[in-house]
Amino acid sequence: MTRPTATHGPPRNHYDVVVAGGGPAGCVAALTLSRAGRTVLLADSATGPPKTGEALVPVARLLLHDLQVADTVLTTDHLPCHGNHSAWGSAALHTVDFIRDPYGHGWHLDRPLFDRALRAAARQAGVDVAEHTAVRRPVRRGDGTWRLTLRTTGTGPRTVTCHWIVDATGRRAAIAVPAGARRHVEDRLTAHHLTLDALPGDTDGHSLVESAPDGWWYTTLLPSRRRLVSYFTDPDLFTPGDFRRGLLTARYVAPTVRLHEFGTMSCLRRAPAHSAHLDHVHGDGWIAAGDAAVVFDPLSSQGILTALYTGLGAGQAIDAHLRGTPGALEVYTAKITTARAAYADAHRIAYTQESRWPDRTFWSRRHGTARSR
């Protein structure tokens, strides 16, 4: 069932579905449900620092094309990614170019712009989009509906009801965990980011990954033409001095960033980068998508693609369930389980390929040889 673009009137008091979270997963879930004829509210809290340095792999073009949004979200404001350089498992630098990829190049995303374009597409499809709005105090009522408080910056609270909630609130899974889901954290990987000023002549559209004795480095140009440098390690293995020393001595990262002005380490930002998943991704009237459901090590470069995929799957699952399709929610669970299994195999293989520092704590933890976690 589909419907034409809606003409928005006064805000509703009741929806078929409320989507909590206005990132890629939430936007795609809302878009999918609205096109299926469901009344949908997308609440985007817009909290936390904007994400930077995220890449979209070439195959994502196919999914965005199927969603009929590729032309509107993949604009020239994003920086084409033409391939990846890596020094992993040996001192040699290897390059994977996307020139032979059937889906073309990837993208270094201007993430706020990407998210805004997806929200605009959802709005165009008939979704009520409430920006700077957080979902608070969800209460499951005896009639099978939810009562939610919406808090919008600068205005008073508003109460709505709905039949289903999509939890797209990110790693904290703010709906699913209070509803009884348990979050399993699989490691302690943490990212430390430094953004360097733009440098004339720095035009390489490739990303660079380089392993190190106590973690690994990542650097890439951003759409702003500034350069992002990230160091991934475990919290107990890191000091700011390690970042500067490692940055200046890394065989490939150092020459790439040497001409930039580093400034002070006070500009260093920290963000979680660990793998995690929920023990169940749907429950009584709720379903999780994106990082709320499952989140992967950034080494996989699968974060945005997984968000789009799970958002689509969650939207399809709710619509099919509401139409009375048997096992629709279980199909979604199976999709997440399959994706996690494929990721786990690839993750294990990738870290096993780096064997130069078997006695260093970071690597022994990934190889399963550490004495304790």
Side-chain angles (χ1 to χ4, degrees):
M1 176 170 55
T2 59
R3 67 176 183 177
T5 302
T7 300
H8 293 281
R12 296 173 179 268
N13 294 321
H14 178 79
Y15 294 87
D16 294 327
V17 183
V18 169
V19 179
C27 289
V28 171
L31 181 69
T32 301
L33 285 159
S34 187
R35 285 179 176 166
R38 307 297 174 185
T39 56
V40 184
L41 171 70
L42 175 65
D44 173 40
S45 64
T47 57
K51 295 184 178 180
T52 59
E54 294 189 308
L56 192 64
V57 293
V59 70
R61 187 191 302 268
L62 180 62
L63 195 155
L64 291 170
H65 183 270
D66 290 344
L67 289 167
Q68 303 171 39
V69 298
D71 292 340
T72 57
V73 303
L74 296 179
T75 66
T76 56
D77 296 294
H78 305 296
L79 184 66
C81 177
H82 296 293
N84 304 311
H85 302 304
S86 65
W88 191 277
S90 76
L93 187 67
H94 300 278
T95 299
V96 175
D97 284 310
F98 293 152
I99 191 169
R100 296 184 181 86
D101 194 295
Y103 302 107
H105 61 74
W107 298 266
H108 300 298
L109 293 178
D110 179 330
R111 179 60 189 277
L113 177 65
F114 184 74
D115 289 1
R116 286 197 301 271
L118 283 174
R119 288 195 293 273
R123 185 182 286 110
Q124 182 67 19
V127 176
D128 284 353
V129 178
E131 297 187 309
H132 303 284
T133 299
V135 174
R136 296 284 186 262
R137 298 198 299 270
V139 176
R140 190 68 165 158
R141 305 194 299 182
D143 62 358
T145 63
W146 291 92
R147 184 180 70 246
L148 310 171
T149 299
L150 305 178
R151 294 195 175 274
T152 302
T153 303
T155 66
R158 168 188 165 203
T159 300
V160 300
T161 59
C162 63
H163 290 290
W164 274 81
I165 304 175
V166 176
D167 185 347
T169 60
R171 289 173 178 268
R172 61 196 180 101
I175 305 297
V177 170
R182 294 187 59 189
R183 191 155 184 80
H184 294 274
V185 177
E186 298 170 19
D187 57 66
R188 294 178 284 175
L189 190 67
T190 302
H192 304 269
H193 301 301
L194 186 65
T195 303
L196 308 178
D197 289 340
L199 181 69
D202 191 358
T203 60
D204 188 1
H206 290 71
S207 62
L208 170 61
V209 172
E210 180 176 356
S211 53
D214 296 307
W216 53 275
W217 292 92
Y218 171 81
T219 184
T220 190
L221 280 183
L222 301 174
S224 64
R225 303 295 170 166
R226 302 179 75 191
R227 177 164 288 277
L228 178 74
V229 184
S230 301
Y231 181 55
F232 295 83
T233 188
D234 295 333
D236 59 326
L237 305 178
F238 177 82
T239 69
D242 294 334
F243 187 97
R244 178 176 283 276
R245 285 190 296 272
L247 182 58
L248 293 174
T249 58
R251 182 169 183 172
Y252 298 104
V253 171
T256 302
V257 305
R258 183 170 288 136
L259 298 178
H260 292 265
E261 177 60 45
F262 289 176
T264 67
M265 291 299 104
S266 63
C267 298
L268 203 60
R269 294 191 298 108
R270 181 170 129 173
H274 56 263
S275 304
H277 67 275
L278 294 180
D279 62 347
H280 56 283
V281 294
H282 65 82
D284 183 19
W286 65 267
I287 194 166
D291 286 357
V294 59
V295 59
F296 298 151
D297 187 319
L299 186 65
S300 69
S301 298
Q302 299 294 308
I304 302 296
L305 179 63
T306 301
L308 297 171
Y309 174 74
T310 57
L312 174 63
Q316 291 173 333
I318 292 175
D319 177 58
H321 177 76
L322 292 174
R323 286 189 282 107
T325 303
L329 300 174
E330 288 71 23
V331 168
Y332 178 66
T333 294
K335 289 179 179 179
I336 300 295
T337 301
T338 299
R340 277 186 50 222
Y343 159 76
D345 287 343
H347 183 263
R348 174 183 53 79
I349 291 169
Y351 276 96
T352 299
Q353 288 173 343
E354 182 50 85
S355 58
R356 287 178 288 170
W357 304 286
D359 296 329
R360 302 298 286 243
T361 301
F362 179 85
W363 296 102
S364 64
R365 285 171 176 168
R366 272 73 191 170
H367 298 161
T369 57
R371 293 182 182 179
S372 63
R373 294 296 297 265

